[in-house]
Coordinates of all heavy atoms in Angstrom, one line a residue:
A12 N -39.8 144.3 41.9 CA -38.5 143.8 42.3 C -38.4 144.2 43.8 O -38.5 145.3 44.2 CB -37.4 144.6 41.5
K19 N -41.7 141.0 53.9 CA -41.4 140.1 55.1 C -40.8 140.9 56.3 O -41.1 140.6 57.3 CB -40.3 139.1 54.5 CG -40.9 138.1 53.5 CD -39.9 137.2 53.0 CE -40.4 136.1 52.0 NZ -39.3 135.3 51.5
G27 N -49.1 145.9 59.6 CA -50.2 145.4 58.8 C -50.0 145.9 57.3 O -49.7 147.0 57.2
G109 N -43.8 152.7 20.9 CA -44.5 152.9 19.6 C -46.1 152.5 19.7 O -46.6 152.3 18.6
L164 N -38.1 163.5 55.1 CA -38.0 164.6 54.1 C -37.4 164.3 52.9 O -37.8 164.7 51.8 CB -37.3 165.9 54.9 CG -37.3 167.1 54.0 CD1 -38.6 167.7 53.6 CD2 -36.4 168.1 54.7
Y184 N -45.3 164.3 25.8 CA -45.9 163.4 24.9 C -47.2 164.0 24.3 O -47.5 164.1 23.1 CB -46.2 162.0 25.5 CG -47.0 161.1 24.7 CD1 -46.4 160.4 23.6 CD2 -48.4 160.9 24.8 CE1 -47.1 159.6 22.7 CE2 -49.1 160.1 24.0 CZ -48.4 159.5 22.9 OH -49.1 158.7 22.1
Q214 N -18.2 182.4 39.1 CA -19.5 181.9 38.7 C -19.8 180.7 39.3 O -18.9 179.7 39.4 CB -19.4 181.7 37.0 CG -19.3 182.9 36.3 CD -19.0 182.7 34.8 OE1 -17.8 182.2 34.4 NE2 -19.9 183.0 34.0
M235 N -14.3 167.0 39.0 CA -14.5 167.5 37.7 C -15.0 168.9 37.8 O -15.8 169.2 38.6 CB -15.4 166.7 36.9 CG -14.9 165.2 36.5 SD -13.9 165.2 35.1 CE -15.1 165.5 33.8
A245 N -16.8 167.1 24.4 CA -16.4 167.4 23.0 C -15.4 166.3 22.7 O -15.5 165.8 21.5 CB -15.7 168.8 23.0
K262 N -8.8 170.9 23.8 CA -8.5 172.0 24.6 C -9.5 173.0 24.3 O -9.6 173.5 23.1 CB -7.1 172.6 24.4 CG -6.5 173.6 25.2 CD -6.2 173.1 26.6 CE -5.4 174.1 27.5 NZ -4.0 174.3 27.0
N265 N -12.2 172.4 21.6 CA -11.8 172.1 20.2 C -10.7 171.1 20.1 O -9.8 171.1 21.1 CB -11.3 173.4 19.5 CG -12.4 174.1 18.7 OD1 -13.2 173.5 18.1 ND2 -12.4 175.4 18.9
L276 N 0.1 153.5 22.3 CA 1.2 154.4 22.7 C 1.5 155.3 21.5 O 1.6 156.5 21.6 CB 2.3 153.6 23.0 CG 3.6 154.3 23.5 CD1 3.3 155.3 24.6 CD2 4.7 153.4 23.8
P287 N 1.7 170.1 20.6 CA 2.1 169.9 22.0 C 1.9 171.0 23.0 O 1.8 170.8 24.3 CB 3.6 169.5 21.8 CG 4.1 170.1 20.6 CD 2.9 170.1 19.7
A388 N -10.1 163.8 8.0 CA -10.2 165.2 8.1 C -11.6 165.6 8.4 O -11.9 166.5 9.2 CB -9.6 166.0 6.9
K431 N 4.2 169.5 10.8 CA 4.6 168.5 9.7 C 4.4 169.2 8.4 O 3.5 169.9 8.2 CB 3.9 167.1 9.8 CG 4.4 166.4 11.1 CD 3.7 165.0 11.1 CE 4.2 164.0 12.1 NZ 3.7 162.7 12.0
A458 N -1.6 171.0 0.0 CA -2.8 170.2 0.0 C -3.1 169.8 -1.4 O -3.0 170.5 -2.4 CB -4.0 170.8 0.7

Side-chain angles (χ1 to χ4, degrees):
K19 289 177 180 177
L164 180 60
Y184 170 78
Q214 296 169 292
M235 291 277 286
K262 187 73 169 288
N265 269 316
L276 177 61
K431 287 187 175 183

